[in-house]
């Protein structure tokens, strides 16, 4: 870890000012010299590993007073960015009307981490690619743009099969983001020039030629809240992983259905553990809409979701696994009692 | 009694709580890194980013500019150290690769520089700023890499003396009615004890104190003295508590003498705290292994031929191997046996002991093969073991001192509900889950080593036991206190035990499950001498003194037949007769069959372990049987293990509570080894990839909802005075095979390579 300044921001203006002051270098947010600190469960790790080297830390936890509300309404849900994962997961109305959100949070990390980690920080968490996290590897396009990718032909069991580029195959590791992207969530962002709203689907950027740029957030901007339109009581988060708890997904599916008289009126499918960014499978959703559900349809949907997937040496299994996870999540969503 | 404190059966001690329980749960227990130092400097290691090649140059300018940096030590300015031989070749070291000696790099993560600074933070920051230019050479990573060399273990590893064989394997296998040939593979694994590989060194004049978690303080003391070229009596190693060892702290690692040397030069105490990932390369590991098993049997299930060939990866300079054929060739009755252990040299760090070193990989192969044979024979796997059970090992024809293998199978099978198993694979399920039951035998050699102890008894019953044994989490303090209390007849709470200090009387390495047998035998002997002195003072006739040997307790009424006619000893009267307030005895105990140089070796840090198959006219092993339920998800192929049941017999059980705890930990580790633990190696550069606890998976509580330990009563008078077989390494041996056997039962798929992960399942 390298020396850094620490400032505790007591209100949003103070936080934004402190973050912008150090933002002049025009780096992507992930490399910005000033970093906001919420739960700290990713940032501190990466600082210890010398992967992130901010000169200034702006502690935004005091903002939780106004930014941590959990507000279920008749036409949707609003979640403050500084709400703790554990509080949202345990909220009775979210468990009832948004099980995909509650379960994506409950199945993430450990109880201790969920008690510390915030929703805003959770969606911003960075990849678990071992080569990204080990600075003794020079070749990481995400850390050192243009240096190559050690994972491409290295040990890549946990890496992505969707949304990859010839520059980067690092997996987006989170769970909650799959629920957000599936439910057409919006992100509320606050910056010095004011507030803006953005579809959650536009927050993360696929690696393409610039894997070092991971989101469209600008330095000095903060996520203040997420809003989710509608209610999705028929929704499921299914997560396959090596151990029963405290482990990232090898493959996961966030599925939400609106079924009326056996016909699927609306369907949402998002994939975790298999893609470089939170991943919405829109082609798969299109196959479901207006259809009656059966296992054959589930299979076609799963195939469509992974039609573009490309496996490498150790992660090819994720394509077959991902399809089974999608199909099973759909079955579970269709049959759930609501 | 509770589940954690099982009711003692015959030949078991009381399940008293841990001696240091309160100290540990309140944080008062002081581990090596907790020891206060006077104005210490802090060290941080720089380790190599290549596995083979050389360092061309360092650029230290940036690092030196960090405020608080005192010195940066590289091969160009490191203290000169003497070499130490490998532990298994009569030395102290876990590797002969001595870093900071030259510009050469021999393995990934080798120590190449040590930054010394006024704070840990400054040392770490400066270490991050050290720039190194290398000339890298393509390394050989493992078995299938080009450039490795392979040779028989026999002849290159002093501790591997024989490839056991008997009869005519080739002929018998050829003629066998039922034959099985199968290959198995186990991965690289790392111990990952919670306590990191820290070292603090402080000099007082020419005397050195080392605070370091060690499983062998006498070995470390003598090893560091040898490397520094100083008298071993000038070195003291202190660690009253060790945060887990599992073999990783049994032999000396190169870091200690380096830190001691730098502390001497700096004339200041130094504290080193390496990181978790550095721990993967600055200490040892369990090497990856490959096996081929050939079994020939009659239709009745009787083995007629058994061959076990094993291959293990070691480093370029060191011929380390575990050679588990000594166990697998002797486990079952079989007249024709052959075996061969080979060592494959690659560009890796030298591997070392890891919990049940030989038995874990080798029994996985044999016990998987036995299950495969049972399938071929259409026979219950428990019955196949029964048919081949024996009280005489087949290689040398020596009798087992005691062997409760089938009793363990029967007890565990009953508790598990084995009779509910439908034998057909893929025939049991529960919702989304395919259910499988599997079992395997487990065993571990009974080993002992010379040990000393000092015991002091005061007139008021207060007792002090001193022995340089090791509390690695096993319960050593507790069972030693119980032994002294029982032997002297004083209340347990009056016994104070001092361990983990090389200024105390020597104990052997806490490895090979020998500690309880060795240290408790020594403590018993010394307590008996104290009792005899007291008895002699009041009853100075020899015959009565002899009787005293049979007497249990001084202040208590004698309980044995022999002493019943005598009045109980009045302890205060005895002290008055002796005319002293304290009686103290020091004694050195050695097991039957220990070599002539045992005591000299004990003091110079060489543990002369005896036992197992190396006893003269007998063979001593502890046994157990393990049953597991495995569930495989039809959709995700996730593999879970909701139930582990093990029954174990290991001679006298000193304390059912600590015994259960160790065996439970063993079962869990065994499951972990089968399903989770593997160190991934990047074949291109021979570097470890998942060198942290987020990526090197071990079970969380949710992975082990049901673990049941059954302790069987067993008495063995042919092993050591304590009657103890040792059980620290007993439980994690059979689990790998039991899990794979259960996966076969659940899915019909035989998996012969560990760990088994969801992508290996095809259902």
């Amino acid at each position: 870890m390298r020396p850094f300044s620490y400032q505790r921001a007591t209100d949003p203006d103070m936080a934004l000012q402190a973050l912008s002051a150090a933002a002049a270098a025009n780096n992507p947010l992930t490399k910005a010299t000033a970093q906001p600190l919420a739960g700290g469960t990713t940032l501190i790790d990466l600082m210890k590993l010398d992967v992130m080297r901010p000169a200034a830390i702006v502690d935004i936890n005091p903002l939780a007073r106004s930014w941590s509300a959990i507000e279920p309404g008749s036409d949707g849900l609003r979640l403050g960015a500084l709400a703790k994962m554990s509080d949202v997961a345990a909220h009775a109305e979210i468990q009832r009307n948004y099980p995909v959100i509650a379960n994506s949070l409950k199945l993430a990390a450990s109880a201790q981490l969920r008690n510390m980690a915030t929703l805003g920080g959770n969606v911003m968490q960075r990849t678990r690619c071992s080569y990204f996290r080990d600075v003794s590897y020079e070749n990481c396009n995400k850390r050192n743009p243009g240096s190559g990718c050690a994972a491409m032909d290295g040990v890549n069991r946990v890496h992505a099969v969707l949304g990859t580029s010839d520059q980067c195959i690092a997996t987006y590791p989170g769970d909650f983001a799959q629920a957000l992207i599936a439910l057409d969530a919006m992100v509320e962002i606050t910056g010095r020039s004011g507030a803006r709203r953005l579809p959650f689907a536009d927050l993360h950027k696929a690696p393409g030629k610039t894997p070092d740029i991971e989101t469209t957030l600008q330095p000095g901007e903060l996520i203040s809240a997420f809003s989710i339109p509608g209610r999705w009581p028929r929704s499921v988060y299914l997560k396959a992983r090596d151990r029963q708890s405290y482990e990232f997904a090898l493959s996961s599916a966030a599925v939400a259905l609106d079924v009326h008289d056996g016909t699927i009126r609306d369907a949402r499918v998002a994939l975790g553990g298999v893609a470089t960014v939170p991943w919405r499978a829109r082609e798969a959703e299109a196959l479901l809409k207006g259809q009656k559900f059966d296992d054959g349809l589930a299979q076609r949907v799963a195939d469509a979701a992974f039609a573009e997937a490309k496996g490498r040496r150790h992660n090819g299994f994720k394509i077959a696994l991902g399809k089974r996870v999608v199909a099973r999540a759909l079955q579970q969503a269709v049959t759930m009692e609501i | 009694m509770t589940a954690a404190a099982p009711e003692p059966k015959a030949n078991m001690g009381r399940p008293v709580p841990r001696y240091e329980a309160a100290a540990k749960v309140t944080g008062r227990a002081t581990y090596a890194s907790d020891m206060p130092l006077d104005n210490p400097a802090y060290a941080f290691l720089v380790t190599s980013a290549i596995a083979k090649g050389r360092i061309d140059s360092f650029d230290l300018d940036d690092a030196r500019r960090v405020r608080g940096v005192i010195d940066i030590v590289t091969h160009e300015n490191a203290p000169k150290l003497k070499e130490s031989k490998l532990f298994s070749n009569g030395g102290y070291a876990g590797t002969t690769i001595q870093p900071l000696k030259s510009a050469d790099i021999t393995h990934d993560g080798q120590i190449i520089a040590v930054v010394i600074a006024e704070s840990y933070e400054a040392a770490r920051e400066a270490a991050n700023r050290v720039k190194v230019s290398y000339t890298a050479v393509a390394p050989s990573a493992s078995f299938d890499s080009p450039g490795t060399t392979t040779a028989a273990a026999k002849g290159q590893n002093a501790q591997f003396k024989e490839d056991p064989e008997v009869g005519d394997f080739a002929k018998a296998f050829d003629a066998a009615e039922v034959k099985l040939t199968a290959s198995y593979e186990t991965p690289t694994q790392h111990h990952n004890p919670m306590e990191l590989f820290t070292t603090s060194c402080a000099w007082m004049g020419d005397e050195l104190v080392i605070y370091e978690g060690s499983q062998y303080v006498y070995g470390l003391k003598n090893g560091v003295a040898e490397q520094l070229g100083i008298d071993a009596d000038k070195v003291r190693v202190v660690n009253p508590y060790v945060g887990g060892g599992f073999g990783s702290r049994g032999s000396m690692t190169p870091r200690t003498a380096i830190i001691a040397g730098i502390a001497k030069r700096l004339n200041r105490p130094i504290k080193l705290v390496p990181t978790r990932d550095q721990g993967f390369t600055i200490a040892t590991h369990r090497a990856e292994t490959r096996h081929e098993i050939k079994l020939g049997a009659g239709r009745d299930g009787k083995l007629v031929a058994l061959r076990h060939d094993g291959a293990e990866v070691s480093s370029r300079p060191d011929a380390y191997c575990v050679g588990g054929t000594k166990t697998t060739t002797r486990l079952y009755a079989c007249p024709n046996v052959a075996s061969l252990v080979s060592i494959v040299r690659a560009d890796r760090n030298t591997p070392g002991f890891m919990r049940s070193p030989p038995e874990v990989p080798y029994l996985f192969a044999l016990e998987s093969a036995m299950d495969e044979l049972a399938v071929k024979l259409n026979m219950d796997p428990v019955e196949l073991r029964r048919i081949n059970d024996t009280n005489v090992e087949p290689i040398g024809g020596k009798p087992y001192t005691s062997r409760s293998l089938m009793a363990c199978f029967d007890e565990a099978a009953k508790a598990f509900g084995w009779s509910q198993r439908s034998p057909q694979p893929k025939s049991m399920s529960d919702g989304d889950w395919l259910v499988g039951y599997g079992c395997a035998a487990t065993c571990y050699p009974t080993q002992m080593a010379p040990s000393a102890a000092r015991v002091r008894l005061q007139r008021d019953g207060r007792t002090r036991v001193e022995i340089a044994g090791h509390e690695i989490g096993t319960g050593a303090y507790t069972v030693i206190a119980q032994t002294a209390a029982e032997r002297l007849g004083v209340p347990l709470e009056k016994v104070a035990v001092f361990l983990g200090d090389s200024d105390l009387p020597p104990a052997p390495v806490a490895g090979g499950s020998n500690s309880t047998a060795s240290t408790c035998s020594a403590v018993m002997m010394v307590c008996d001498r104290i009792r005899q002195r007291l008895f002699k003072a009041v009853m100075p006739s020899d015959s009565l003194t002899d009787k005293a040997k049979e007497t249990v307790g001084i202040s208590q009424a004698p309980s044995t037949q022999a002493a019943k006619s005598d009045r109980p000893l009045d302890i205060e009267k005895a002290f008055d007769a002796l005319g002293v307030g304290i009686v103290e005895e020091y004694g050195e105990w050695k097991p039957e069959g220990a070599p002539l140089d045992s005591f000299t070796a004990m003091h110079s840090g060489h543990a002369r372990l005896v036992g197992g198959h190396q006893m003269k006219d007998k063979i001593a092993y502890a046994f157990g049987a393990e049953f597991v339920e495995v569930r495989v998800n039809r959709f995700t192929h996730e593999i879970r293990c909701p139930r582990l049941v093990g029954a174990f017999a290991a001679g006298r059980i000193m304390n059912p509570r600590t015994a259960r705890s160790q065996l439970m930990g063993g079962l869990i580790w065994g499951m972990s080894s089968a399903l989770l633990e593997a160190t991934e190696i990047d074949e291109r550069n021979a570097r470890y990839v998942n060198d942290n606890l987020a990526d090197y998976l071990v079970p969380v509580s949710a992975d082990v909802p049901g673990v049941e330990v059954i302790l069987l009563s067993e008495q063995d008078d042919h092993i050591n005075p304590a009657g103890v077989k040792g059980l620290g390494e007993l439980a994690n041996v059979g689990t790998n095979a039991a899990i794979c056997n259960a996966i076969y039962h659940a899915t019909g798929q035989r998996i012969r390579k560990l760990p088994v992960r969801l992508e290996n399942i095809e259902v």
Side-chain angles (χ1 to χ4, degrees):
Chain A
M1 199 181 274
R2 303 182 179 216
F4 57 89
S5 70
Y6 171 87
Q7 191 177 351
R8 193 169 166 85
T10 49
D11 62 61
D13 282 345
M14 188 177 165
L16 296 172
Q17 192 168 358
L19 287 168
S20 326
N26 206 24
N27 275 322
L29 177 69
T30 49
K31 291 198 130 182
T33 52
Q35 291 289 340
L37 172 77
T41 57
T42 290
L43 177 64
I44 305 297
D45 279 8
L46 291 173
M47 287 170 68
K48 284 185 182 171
L49 294 172
D50 213 30
V51 172
M52 292 184 78
R53 303 168 182 179
I57 293 292
V58 180
D59 184 346
I60 58 169
N61 282 296
L63 276 51
R65 283 192 295 274
S66 44
W67 285 9
S68 63
I70 300 170
E71 300 168 286
S74 54
D75 57 348
L77 168 68
R78 189 169 178 279
L79 298 168
L82 289 177
K84 298 291 187 190
M85 292 171 72
S86 50
D87 291 336
V88 180
H91 198 283
E93 274 188 72
I94 294 176
Q95 288 177 354
R96 188 164 60 245
N97 291 325
Y98 308 90
V100 65
I101 290 180
N103 286 328
S104 71
L105 290 166
K106 196 177 80 182
L107 296 175
S110 65
Q112 293 86 342
L113 286 167
R114 293 193 295 271
N115 285 337
M116 288 298 288
T118 64
L119 299 187
N122 178 274
V123 302
M124 296 295 287
Q125 73 177 306
R126 306 196 67 190
T127 184
R128 303 298 305 188
C129 172
S130 305
Y131 300 98
F132 167 74
R133 293 170 64 87
D134 183 346
V135 293
S136 74
Y137 282 89
E138 287 291 325
N139 42 342
C140 173
N141 289 324
K142 197 180 269 302
R143 244 189 309 110
N144 298 326
S147 63
C149 173
M152 204 69 75
D153 297 309
V155 176
N156 48 32
R157 175 174 184 260
V158 302
H159 287 72
V161 294
L162 288 166
T164 57
S165 73
D166 60 359
Q167 301 285 304
C168 185
I169 57 171
T171 305
Y172 173 79
D175 296 298
F176 175 54
Q178 321 310 335
L180 290 178
I181 199 168
L183 303 187
D184 276 341
M186 298 292 289
V187 194
E188 297 174 24
I189 294 166
T190 305
R192 291 214 75 197
S193 51
R196 64 186 177 112
R197 276 166 63 86
L198 183 73
F200 183 76
D202 294 339
L203 180 65
H204 290 83
K205 295 183 69 157
K209 296 287 173 203
T210 54
D212 56 318
I213 302 173
E214 296 178 351
T215 71
T216 54
L217 274 188
Q218 296 303 309
E221 287 190 323
L222 286 171
I223 298 174
S224 58
F226 304 95
S227 52
I228 295 102
R231 283 184 181 177
W232 293 91
R234 187 177 293 285
S235 65
V236 163
Y237 190 73
L238 181 62
K239 181 174 180 177
R241 46 183 167 172
D242 283 323
R243 63 183 172 194
Q244 185 64 20
S245 176
Y246 194 17
E247 176 59 344
F248 296 94
L250 288 169
S251 169
S252 71
V255 165
L257 299 177
D258 177 9
V259 183
H260 191 72
D261 287 342
T263 301
I264 300 168
R265 292 202 299 207
D266 196 358
R268 307 294 177 80
V269 179
L271 311 176
V274 291
T276 53
V277 287
W279 193 263
R280 179 92 174 255
R282 291 186 189 274
E283 313 75 12
E285 293 172 1
L287 292 176
L288 287 161
K289 281 175 195 165
Q291 303 297 311
K292 304 261 188 211
F293 186 82
D294 62 37
D295 288 351
L297 177 61
Q299 189 56 53
R300 289 195 299 281
V301 170
D303 288 342
F306 283 88
E308 301 293 315
K310 285 196 286 283
R312 299 195 71 84
R313 184 165 173 203
H314 304 111
N315 66 353
F317 74 94
K318 284 188 172 185
I319 299 173
L321 170 65
K323 290 179 183 179
R324 292 194 307 269
V325 167
V326 167
R328 184 62 184 150
L330 286 167
Q331 287 169 350
Q332 286 180 351
V334 166
T335 55
M336 74 188 286
E337 305 267 337
I338 58 169
Chain B
M1 294 295 140
T2 64
E7 184 81 47
K9 299 173 184 164
N11 202 27
M12 294 186 191
R14 285 192 299 133
V16 300
R18 269 174 202 273
Y19 179 88
E20 76 284 15
K24 278 187 173 164
V25 298
T26 56
R28 275 189 291 110
T30 42
Y31 290 79
S33 294
D34 300 328
M35 295 295 184
L37 299 170
D38 181 22
N39 186 31
Y42 294 84
F44 198 89
L45 302 176
V46 180
T47 55
S48 68
I50 63 167
K52 189 178 188 181
R54 52 181 289 117
I55 299 162
D56 293 328
S57 64
F58 285 101
D59 176 356
L60 304 176
D61 292 349
D62 209 15
R64 285 195 199 285
R65 273 196 289 271
V66 174
R67 218 170 89 186
V69 169
I70 299 167
D71 196 6
I72 300 174
V73 180
T74 69
H75 66 274
E76 288 162 351
N77 61 347
K80 295 277 171 280
L81 298 171
K82 296 192 166 51
E83 288 177 11
S84 184
K85 279 191 293 186
L86 202 65
F87 192 95
S88 52
N89 282 341
Y92 303 101
T95 175
T96 61
I97 301 165
Q98 181 59 46
L100 301 185
K101 215 173 83 179
S102 74
D104 295 336
I105 305 285
T106 317
H107 65 84
D108 168 37
Q110 181 176 317
I111 299 170
I112 55 171
V114 185
V115 179
I116 311 293
E118 296 292 343
S119 70
Y120 172 79
E121 290 76 11
R124 187 167 187 171
E125 185 195 354
N128 282 334
R129 292 177 186 270
V130 168
K131 294 185 195 76
V132 192
S133 300
Y134 303 98
T135 298
V137 178
S140 308
S142 186
F143 281 119
D144 297 326
S145 309
T148 59
T149 59
T150 305
K154 193 177 161 184
Q156 53 173 334
N157 177 316
Q159 282 192 341
F160 188 85
K161 296 192 180 73
E162 52 146 12
D163 286 303
E165 58 176 340
V166 72
D168 186 339
F169 165 80
K171 201 171 146 197
F173 184 72
D174 213 35
E177 290 173 328
V178 181
K179 290 184 196 136
L180 173 84
T181 301
S183 299
Y184 303 90
E185 218 170 303
T186 66
T188 314
Q189 295 180 332
H190 277 80
H191 318 75
N192 280 311
M194 285 309 294
E195 184 183 10
L196 296 166
F197 293 106
T198 67
T199 295
S200 295
C201 288
W203 291 84
M204 292 274 281
D206 63 351
E207 296 194 357
L208 169 66
V209 181
I210 300 168
Y211 300 112
E212 176 179 314
S214 167
Q215 292 172 251
Y216 195 15
V217 291
Y218 264 75
L220 187 58
K221 159 195 160 117
N222 282 279
V224 171
E226 181 182 74
Q227 283 207 277
L228 295 173
I230 62 174
D231 184 346
D233 285 347
K234 302 285 188 190
V235 181
R236 181 179 175 198
V237 178
V238 180
N239 60 8
Y241 299 101
V242 180
F246 316 117
S248 66
R249 307 182 200 276
S251 53
M252 178 175 65
T253 71
R255 73 188 194 273
T256 315
I258 291 171
I259 295 300
I262 298 173
K264 176 84 176 167
R265 190 158 75 189
L266 199 64
N267 194 24
R268 201 171 153 184
I270 294 186
K271 180 170 180 171
L272 166 74
V273 181
T275 59
R276 175 64 60 189
D277 66 308
Q278 289 173 342
F280 276 72
T281 61
I282 65 168
T284 63
H285 58 274
R286 194 196 294 282
E288 58 271 37
T289 68
R290 286 181 175 175
H291 307 260
E292 187 182 76
I293 301 262
K294 286 180 187 285
L295 296 179
R299 293 250 167 251
D300 58 0
K302 279 211 171 88
L303 289 172
V304 294
L306 182 156
R307 182 175 181 100
H308 190 166
D309 292 348
E312 308 177 28
V313 170
S314 189
S315 65
R316 292 286 182 195
D318 297 326
Y320 181 85
C321 72
V322 299
T325 47
K326 61 188 168 219
T327 295
T328 54
T329 56
R330 292 178 170 91
L331 184 54
Y332 295 114
C334 182
N336 303 289
V337 178
S339 65
L340 178 67
V341 172
S342 308
I343 299 176
V344 176
R345 307 286 190 100
D347 296 303
R348 299 273 296 285
N349 194 6
T350 305
F353 331 107
M354 185 162 155
R355 200 173 187 180
S356 341
E359 283 71 22
V360 162
Y362 282 76
L363 259 283
F364 164 62
L366 179 64
E367 286 299 285
S368 295
M370 286 296 279
D371 199 73
E372 296 202 49
L373 181 64
V375 171
K376 277 194 177 232
L377 290 161
N378 196 22
M379 187 178 277
D380 185 303
V382 177
E383 294 316 303
L384 181 62
R385 266 84 172 190
R386 199 184 312 279
I387 286 167
N388 291 289
D389 190 27
T390 179
N391 285 317
V392 177
E393 58 90 6
I395 304 297
K398 296 189 285 191
Y400 281 95
T401 55
S402 60
R403 174 165 161 135
S404 306
L405 177 65
M406 290 322 298
C408 288
F409 263 109
D410 292 338
E411 284 280 324
K414 202 169 103 198
F416 181 83
W418 183 252
S419 60
Q420 307 300 307
R421 175 182 187 257
S422 109
Q424 196 58 31
K426 228 176 158 176
S427 63
M428 293 168 66
S429 64
D430 180 9
D432 285 2
W433 299 88
L434 301 171
V435 177
Y437 290 177
C439 68
T442 196
C443 68
Y444 195 77
T446 299
Q447 303 189 99
M448 292 76 60
S451 178
R454 186 185 298 119
V455 179
R456 189 176 75 181
L457 174 68
Q458 292 185 207
R459 192 187 157 102
D460 63 3
R462 275 188 292 160
T463 303
R464 180 184 173 98
V465 184
E466 296 181 346
I467 180 165
H470 310 85
E471 179 54 73
I472 54 176
T474 47
Y477 279 109
T478 315
V479 296
I480 289 171
Q482 283 180 279
T483 302
E486 274 171 31
R487 217 62 186 180
L488 294 175
V490 299
L492 187 61
E493 54 276 14
K494 287 204 171 183
V495 181
V497 182
F498 293 81
L499 305 177
D501 182 343
S502 66
D503 273 5
L504 302 176
V509 59
S513 295
N514 89 89
S515 275
T516 304
S518 309
T519 58
C520 291
S521 291
V523 169
M524 283 167 66
M525 185 192 81
V526 175
C527 289
D528 286 355
R529 287 188 190 168
I530 289 182
R531 233 175 41 207
Q532 285 171 39
R533 269 175 69 183
L534 291 168
F535 266 95
K536 231 174 190 163
V538 285
M539 288 179 266
S541 118
D542 281 348
S543 64
L544 283 172
T545 313
D546 287 342
K547 223 168 234 178
K549 288 179 184 167
E550 304 292 323
T551 315
V552 176
I554 296 165
S555 56
Q556 293 175 339
S559 62
T560 64
Q561 241 5 73
K564 261 184 183 157
S565 56
D566 300 321
R567 284 176 297 112
L569 177 74
D570 184 328
I571 183 171
E572 298 196 346
K573 212 161 143 191
F575 270 101
D576 288 345
L578 273 176
V580 296
I582 285 175
V583 177
E584 183 169 293
E585 279 284 344
Y586 167 87
E588 298 183 349
W589 173 84
K590 68 174 178 179
E592 179 194 328
L596 280 175
D597 73 341
S598 281
F599 290 137
T600 330
M602 175 177 79
H603 287 280
S604 59
H606 300 290
R608 296 279 184 259
L609 261 70
V610 299
H613 72 284
Q614 291 174 311
M615 300 171 99
K616 195 158 173 281
D617 301 313
K618 55 196 176 185
I619 176 170
Y621 270 73
F623 292 93
E626 302 183 359
F627 289 72
V628 303
E629 176 182 329
V630 160
R631 293 181 163 225
V632 178
N633 190 289
R634 292 174 202 277
F635 302 98
T636 64
H637 297 183
E638 287 167 299
I639 310 159
R640 300 289 184 254
C641 183
R643 286 200 301 141
L644 293 151
V645 177
F648 308 94
R652 178 167 173 80
I653 303 298
M654 304 298 287
N655 180 328
R657 182 197 297 262
T658 55
R660 170 183 176 272
S661 180
Q662 279 212 74
L663 293 164
M664 185 164 64
L667 285 168
I668 293 169
W669 193 342
M671 184 281 268
S672 179
S673 170
L675 297 179
L676 299 172
E677 285 188 49
T679 310
E680 310 282 357
I681 302 161
D682 190 325
E683 289 167 16
R684 300 169 302 177
N685 53 30
R687 302 191 65 195
Y688 296 138
V689 178
N690 57 336
D691 52 359
N692 60 77
L693 285 180
D695 296 323
Y696 183 96
L697 297 186
V698 297
V700 295
S701 296
D703 290 307
V704 281
V707 186
E708 186 181 351
V709 171
I710 300 160
L711 296 166
L712 264 69
S713 187
E714 184 182 74
Q715 181 154 349
D716 191 326
D717 299 327
H718 310 289
I719 40 179
N720 52 63
V724 162
K725 283 187 171 177
L727 46 71
E729 293 166 277
L730 178 57
N732 61 320
V733 171
T735 335
N736 289 296
I739 298 251
C740 285
N741 298 342
I743 290 173
Y744 170 79
H745 182 233
T747 65
Q749 193 186 343
R750 181 65 66 178
I751 297 178
R752 302 183 181 90
K753 185 179 176 185
L754 297 179
V756 189
R757 290 185 166 147
L758 59 78
E759 62 264 38
N760 307 124
I761 302 283
E762 297 152 12
V763 284

